[in-house]
Amino acid sequence: MARTASPRAAEDPAGLGRAGAAAITAPALLVVAAFLVFPALWTLYLGTTNYRLTGFAARHPHGVGLQNYTNVVQDPGFHHSLWLTLEYVLLSAVVGQAALGFAIAWMLRDATGWLKRLIEALVLLAWILPSSVVAFLWVAMLDRDSGTLNALLHTPGTAWAIEHPMAVIIVFNIWRGTAFSMLLYSAALTSVPPSQLATARMFGANSWQQLRDVVFPHIRGHILTNLLLISLWTFNDFTPYQITAGGPNGKSQILPVYIYQTALFDGQMGLGAAISLLMLLINLIVALVYLRLLRERRREPVAA
Amino acid sequence: MGAHSARSGNLRTLIAVGAAVAALVAGCSSSSSGSKPAAVNSADQPKNPTLVITANDIAGGKNSNEANWIQKTLIPDFVKAEAAKGITAHVTFRPNGVDDNAYKSKLALDLQSGTGDDVFSLDGIWVGEFADAGYVKPLNQVAGAQVDSWDGWSQITQAVQALGEYQGKRFGVPNGTDARVIFFNKKLFAQAGLPADWQPTSWQDLYDAAAKLKTLPGVTPVQWDGGVPMGEATTMQGFLPLLSGAGGSLWANGKWMKAGTAFTSALGFYQKIYGGGYGDPVLQEDAKGRDKSFTEFAANKIGIYAESDYMWRSVLNPTGGTAPMADRDTDVGYALIPSQTPSSGVKGQGFVSYSGGSDWSINPKTKYPQAAWDFLAFLNSKTETESRISGAPLLTARTDVNQQVLGNDPMLKFATDKVLPITAFRPSQAAYNDVSSLVQKAVADVVGGKSPEQAAAAYEKALEGLVGADSIAAGS
């Protein structure tokens, strides 16, 4: 009797059997459990204690129930941080990186040769350098007394990172992250059938109309995937700390910096864990919104 | 009881591991070797001890002189001395060159996960927190009765020994102490028509001098630490001498104090300095503000600067300072910090100061407590202390060394003779560092433009949330 005829084959095309499949996936699941599930559960637990880095509560932490969460939710510092983070994600990732990345990809779609490679190399360079090195360069560039920017703009004595901290980290993140969006959109644009674009041009569609009616519908999935990834990355990004340290006086204290300062600088691990969990939930909501948008696209294939 | 303590022990280990993982701190493996730190007899001590010592020192950077001394003199000397006793010691130094708060976090995380270095330097104000957390234990519990019979203790005054004590027990051997003064630039003073032997007797004298310095182009008249990025320096060099000069203190008679008139007056000083254009508020908000202020002072761009003698010996020092000033000895003057008005300070003092210092302590989980103590005693011996400060004198913990050496350095002699008698130490409470953070926020608020009353009210509210209303008494 041929094995393919067996009714089980439909459920088990690999032919591993239940035990074999479990054995093969077990290592991966263990890694996921150890590095994702355990820390997440641990954060959940820590968030309900008064655990601290030093002092008596470091040795004998005790449960405080939901106290940390109620404290955080009522803390104006948290509201302020959350607002700054949303501003940071929206302006630097969704508007900045995605738009600029697309613009570069669109302009370079027909370019070839050294120009394309040069621009790509420059953009990529921003992406591949270690963030601490890059942050150091930016600090030097923005320096009040001997910074390159002040020399270029003839604005001696302007302390950019202190007078405009949010603008600085937003521009920084756009500069740093555009490469990813550019690469992703470059790849996506190759999937747009040239014939459709040619047809649209023949009917007199201008650039914007071509984009709206031909290009965007084709790469909608790529756009959403890109936005999902860069939003989450930016939301969790700690690099701005290396430029402004959350300052001055909390004016660029986005959530990751707020958590760092609460948990490690002030030593309030329990409270820091509570904020981390809230952040995890916000991440989850953002992810769900994007995934929902993606699924809607798949349900209406006719439109494409 | 046994079962209970075992359970809480497990919980502790679990929490330590979990927190380390959750905080994504790399390289934290929990080594619960369970080596019980008991008193060790010198007869049965291991013949091949391995010690790692760490401090916030790095050659060519922070506390460069001390880092060089540890690596080039202290360790070789110690290895030789141990060899004479038939012990082959292997000692390595792990340098750090970071902000004090970052060093503290690293130390705490290392000790908590059981991987801390054997011997480490610990700021005196961290002793309480670290002891409460179980990261450090009384030295005689770790290394035995020989600790108390060490002959070095008799050379360390009671006030300085307190830097390593908590609840009456010794957790560390003090490394030295310091004192806060006002430094001023005599060149700029001459240009502004101020005397070279300037000694203000009130805050008004300071304002008046600042007003004169303000007429010089490109000069910041006063640098008075007052930003969150300055960390403890804001509390220690900036706020506390002001509070003390207005007759107040943070802690008295077993309670934290409400933000009374002295507190608001001290904040008012900041408003006057930074609102009145005498100080540079942007410098206070800069993440690298302290280093930059040092550089500016060394470049003759700041007139008046409140700091510890650390600035004289480790920053401006023409040899080995981080912002060396070639003409330090002739161009930099120093004065006592005045009270708000003559005799308005605590205990009716006309001048005030605050002192601190760090300790060398032993990791209770060290495998070689005996060798670690030998190292500590050796490090603080008269000979080694002298060799430590031969290139760059400082106020050591040992009176015999201070008497011999400090006469050669007029500034340190001034600090010993004039400042130490009137100085004060910060409360050795585990909550001190949290309270200090609140002070820094209050000061930063005023430097950023809020009124002293608003900032004081916010401080008081946060203080109550931190220590509880029961631990707070009416302030002065």
Side-chain angles (χ1 to χ4, degrees):
Chain A
M1 196 185 271
R3 286 183 70 179
T4 43
S6 141
R8 269 190 63 194
E11 292 166 24
D12 185 16
L16 284 167
R18 198 170 289 238
I24 275 190
T25 51
L29 288 178
L30 277 178
V31 169
V32 169
F35 292 101
L36 280 174
V37 181
F38 174 71
L41 289 177
W42 195 258
T43 307
L44 186 65
Y45 164 71
L46 272 188
T48 65
T49 69
N50 68 342
Y51 183 54
R52 297 186 58 113
L53 185 59
T54 58
F56 196 68
R59 190 164 12 170
H60 300 291
H62 63 81
V64 292
L66 294 177
Q67 183 82 51
N68 284 332
Y69 292 96
T70 49
N71 283 353
V72 171
V73 172
Q74 289 167 7
D75 179 11
F78 175 73
H79 303 158
H80 179 64
S81 268
L82 185 60
W83 174 245
L84 289 180
T85 315
L86 293 177
E87 193 180 318
Y88 181 59
V89 171
L90 201 72
L91 294 179
S92 80
V94 176
V95 175
Q97 292 181 5
L100 190 63
F102 183 83
I104 298 177
W106 179 250
M107 284 186 298
L108 291 182
R109 69 192 185 284
D110 297 323
T112 45
W114 66 270
L115 181 67
K116 184 180 175 124
R117 274 199 297 275
L118 179 75
I119 294 179
E120 279 180 352
L122 283 178
V123 178
L124 266 175
L125 206 60
W127 197 48
I128 57 171
L129 286 172
S131 61
S132 51
V133 174
V134 166
F136 186 80
L137 294 176
W138 271 67
V139 167
M141 184 180 82
L142 299 173
D143 190 79
R144 180 183 176 199
D145 304 311
S146 51
T148 323
L149 193 61
N150 280 339
L152 285 176
L153 299 179
H154 303 290
T155 51
T158 308
W160 294 95
I162 293 167
E163 288 168 30
H164 312 283
M166 279 309 286
V168 160
I169 62 173
I170 286 168
V171 172
F172 169 80
N173 196 44
I174 294 174
W175 171 81
R176 183 148 175 75
T178 297
F180 178 80
S181 297
M182 181 197 79
L183 288 178
L184 197 137
Y185 290 138
S186 291
L189 284 176
T190 58
S191 74
V192 179
S195 59
Q196 288 189 15
L197 276 174
T199 315
R201 270 197 297 272
M202 239 164 57
F203 281 98
N206 62 25
S207 284
W208 167 242
Q209 287 164 333
Q210 291 173 37
L211 281 175
R212 187 191 60 196
D213 298 330
V214 181
V215 178
F216 286 152
H218 264 289
I219 65 168
R220 185 162 178 269
H222 296 90
I223 293 176
L224 286 173
T225 307
N226 181 42
L227 288 180
L228 168 68
L229 289 173
I230 61 177
S231 298
L232 291 182
W233 287 339
T234 305
F235 197 84
N236 297 316
D237 186 16
F238 187 68
T239 320
Y241 182 83
Q242 298 175 311
I243 299 176
T244 65
N249 217 3
K251 289 198 188 82
S252 62
Q253 196 177 43
I254 52 174
L255 274 177
V257 175
Y258 181 75
I259 292 175
Y260 171 78
Q261 281 175 340
T262 305
L264 291 180
F265 208 76
D266 296 342
Q268 308 184 63
M269 300 290 233
L271 188 61
I275 312 169
S276 301
L277 189 80
L278 290 181
M279 199 165 152
L280 201 76
L281 290 177
I282 298 170
N283 269 330
L284 213 62
I285 294 170
V286 173
L288 284 177
V289 168
Y290 280 121
L291 290 176
R292 206 189 159 89
L293 288 171
L294 267 174
R295 208 176 322 143
E296 272 169 15
R297 170 188 169 259
R298 291 201 193 97
R299 274 207 218 105
E300 37 182 342
V302 196
Chain B
M1 136 113 212
H4 172 259
S5 68
R7 203 168 45 237
S8 78
N10 286 339
L11 179 67
R12 220 178 305 146
T13 315
L14 258 175
I15 286 183
V17 178
V21 172
L24 288 180
V25 177
C28 282
S29 67
S30 164
S31 83
S32 47
S33 56
S35 62
K36 208 174 178 188
V40 185
N41 248 325
S42 56
D44 52 38
Q45 63 174 297
K47 296 292 175 222
N48 291 294
T50 307
L51 292 179
V52 181
I53 64 171
T54 196
N56 200 0
D57 302 344
I58 191 161
K62 190 164 185 156
N63 299 321
S64 184
N65 283 322
E66 189 169 89
N68 280 323
W69 167 73
I70 291 172
Q71 277 166 308
K72 291 180 187 156
T73 310
L74 175 67
I75 291 178
D77 284 359
F78 175 71
V79 170
K80 213 184 287 171
E82 292 292 281
K85 290 196 269 174
I87 296 169
T88 314
H90 300 274
V91 187
T92 43
F93 174 58
R94 195 193 303 281
N96 295 274
V98 294
D99 287 342
D100 291 340
N101 245 312
Y103 174 70
K104 178 188 173 190
S105 298
K106 177 175 182 270
L107 208 56
L109 286 166
D110 283 353
L111 289 167
Q112 178 193 63
S113 64
T115 57
D117 296 329
D118 304 277
V119 174
F120 46 84
S121 84
L122 186 70
D123 194 310
I125 47 165
W126 304 339
V127 172
E129 284 176 82
F130 276 59
D132 273 354
Y135 301 157
V136 288
K137 297 215 156 79
L139 287 176
N140 54 12
Q141 263 182 46
V142 179
Q146 53 172 344
V147 170
D148 295 319
S149 58
W150 179 51
D151 61 358
W153 294 118
S154 64
Q155 292 297 336
I156 305 177
T157 63
Q158 214 25 261
V160 175
Q161 280 195 33
L163 287 169
E165 287 173 2
Y166 181 59
Q167 296 177 341
K169 292 187 178 121
R170 288 172 174 146
F171 287 84
V173 181
N175 196 21
T177 186
D178 56 5
R180 264 90 209 136
V181 298
I182 297 175
F183 291 100
F184 58 93
N185 186 311
K186 289 188 191 169
K187 262 190 202 161
L188 298 178
F189 265 50
Q191 285 173 34
L194 288 158
D197 59 348
W198 182 63
Q199 173 58 64
T201 56
S202 68
W203 293 356
Q204 190 57 49
D205 285 357
L206 265 165
Y207 303 148
D208 293 345
K212 286 193 177 168
L213 287 163
K214 207 185 165 188
T215 58
L216 305 177
V219 167
T220 306
V222 183
Q223 152 66 32
W224 207 281
D225 285 348
V228 169
M230 302 281 187
E232 180 63 17
T234 286
T235 319
M236 184 66 166
Q237 354 273 25
F239 185 80
L240 283 176
L242 294 172
L243 180 65
S244 183
S249 50
L250 290 178
W251 162 273
N253 305 320
K255 299 234 180 196
W256 294 101
M257 309 292 277
K258 280 191 171 171
T261 46
F263 198 99
T264 319
S265 298
L267 291 177
F269 179 92
Y270 281 102
Q271 192 183 40
K272 181 92 180 168
I273 294 292
Y274 291 104
Y278 297 148
D280 179 355
V282 176
L283 206 53
Q284 302 303 320
E285 297 178 322
D286 195 311
K288 301 255 176 289
R290 196 155 177 234
D291 292 338
K292 284 196 164 185
S293 319
F294 287 147
T295 317
E296 289 199 6
F297 187 86
N300 301 311
K301 284 185 183 165
I302 292 177
I304 296 169
Y305 200 136
E307 250 297 340
S308 131
D309 58 277
Y310 165 80
M311 176 152 158
W312 175 268
R313 56 186 160 79
S314 286
V315 178
L316 303 175
N317 195 342
T319 52
T322 46
M325 200 168 168
D327 301 324
R328 178 194 70 172
D329 295 355
T330 51
D331 286 356
V332 180
Y334 32 87
L336 297 167
I337 302 175
S339 300
Q340 185 172 14
T341 57
S343 81
S344 70
V346 279
K347 300 182 217 150
Q349 287 178 203
F351 301 99
V352 292
S353 186
Y354 260 86
S355 293
S358 63
D359 309 295
W360 285 98
S361 195
I362 303 178
N363 183 349
K365 290 194 174 150
T366 178
K367 274 196 203 153
Y368 304 102
Q370 170 69 39
W373 170 255
D374 282 358
F375 184 79
L376 246 58
F378 188 80
L379 176 134
N380 288 284
S381 66
K382 185 160 184 275
T383 328
E384 286 303 315
T385 305
E386 280 169 359
S387 96
R388 170 160 69 108
I389 62 171
S390 62
L394 54 90
L395 304 179
T396 75
R398 295 184 68 106
T399 43
D400 51 357
V401 178
N402 287 352
Q403 277 162 9
Q404 250 176 36
V405 176
L406 296 183
N408 303 332
D409 187 300
M411 195 273 133
L412 293 174
K413 188 159 167 44
F414 174 80
T416 321
D417 296 349
K418 301 273 174 53
V419 187
L420 289 186
I422 55 158
T423 198
F425 289 85
R426 290 163 287 182
S428 63
Q429 295 297 312
Y432 170 76
N433 290 292
D434 292 327
V435 175
S436 174
S437 291
L438 298 183
V439 168
Q440 290 157 35
K441 278 170 197 152
V443 173
D445 281 348
V446 173
V447 174
K450 274 198 188 149
S451 80
E453 289 75 19
Q454 274 177 310
Y459 166 81
E460 209 165 282
K461 187 160 176 261
L463 181 67
E464 201 176 305
L466 180 72
V467 299
D470 298 347
S471 313
I472 300 178
S476 52

